[in-house]
Amino acid sequence: MSCVFCKIISKEIPAEIIYEDSDILAFPDVRPKYKTHVLLITKKHLASVSESGAEDDAALGKLLRVGAELAKKTGIAEDGFRLLTNTGKNAGQAVSHIHVHLLGGEKLRNI
Ligand code: AMP
């Protein structure tokens, strides 16, 4: 298994897990682009949202709901935050395991 995020799930690669349940987990991005930069990933290996099916709806929904909860817990929700997922090369997706970025803690660049 060569997927870096699968190795975080199996604890072969260390990460500071800030949320975990049976479907997803969350940990800080190793190269944060903003003051708060957390990644939320599914435990099931899916390369991106393009690979997901209806059976993944619950886990994908959880990425957003838990992302919003973590925004509240980390104190960035009031001023606003962004949840986004890059898909494919035009979006700059570097890791082929579905993940949602939670960004905030400062003014975010407009997209
Ligand atoms: P993306 O460009 O959307 O594929 O983002 C992948 C993100 O994963 C980047 O922001 C990387 O900094 C982050 N990343 C890669 N390896 C690790 C790791 N071992 N622990 C935490 N974050 C990582």
Side-chain angles (χ1 to χ4, degrees), residues 34 36 80-83 103-111:
Y34 289 100
T36 298
F81 60 92
R82 186 174 292 152
L83 290 164
L103 306 171
E106 61 186 301
K107 178 81 177 153
L108 303 174
R109 287 181 292 279
N110 286 337
I111 55 162

Side-chain angles (χ1 to χ4, degrees), residues 5 8 27-31 33 39 86 92-95 99 101:
F5 288 172
I8 288 176
F27 50 89
D29 194 292
V30 75
R31 285 179 291 277
K33 280 57 167 201
L39 298 174
N86 291 318
Q93 184 181 5
V95 177
H99 53 283
H101 296 257

Side-chain angles (χ1 to χ4, degrees), residues 16-80:
E16 184 204 329
I17 309 290
I18 58 174
Y19 178 88
E20 179 164 16
D21 66 24
S22 54
D23 298 316
I24 71 167
L25 80 167
F27 50 89
D29 194 292
V30 75
R31 285 179 291 277
K33 280 57 167 201
Y34 289 100
K35 278 187 186 158
T36 298
H37 189 169
V38 169
L39 298 174
L40 298 107
I41 69 173
T42 57
K43 286 191 169 174
K44 176 179 172 182
H45 180 88
L46 293 165
S48 71
V49 281
S50 293
E51 268 198 3
S52 65
E55 67 279 13
D56 304 309
D57 285 358
L60 297 185
K62 233 183 221 187
L63 294 178
L64 295 184
R65 183 191 42 88
V66 172
E69 276 175 17
L70 291 177
K72 281 185 204 145
K73 264 192 198 146
T74 56
I76 64 168
E78 200 170 319
D79 286 336

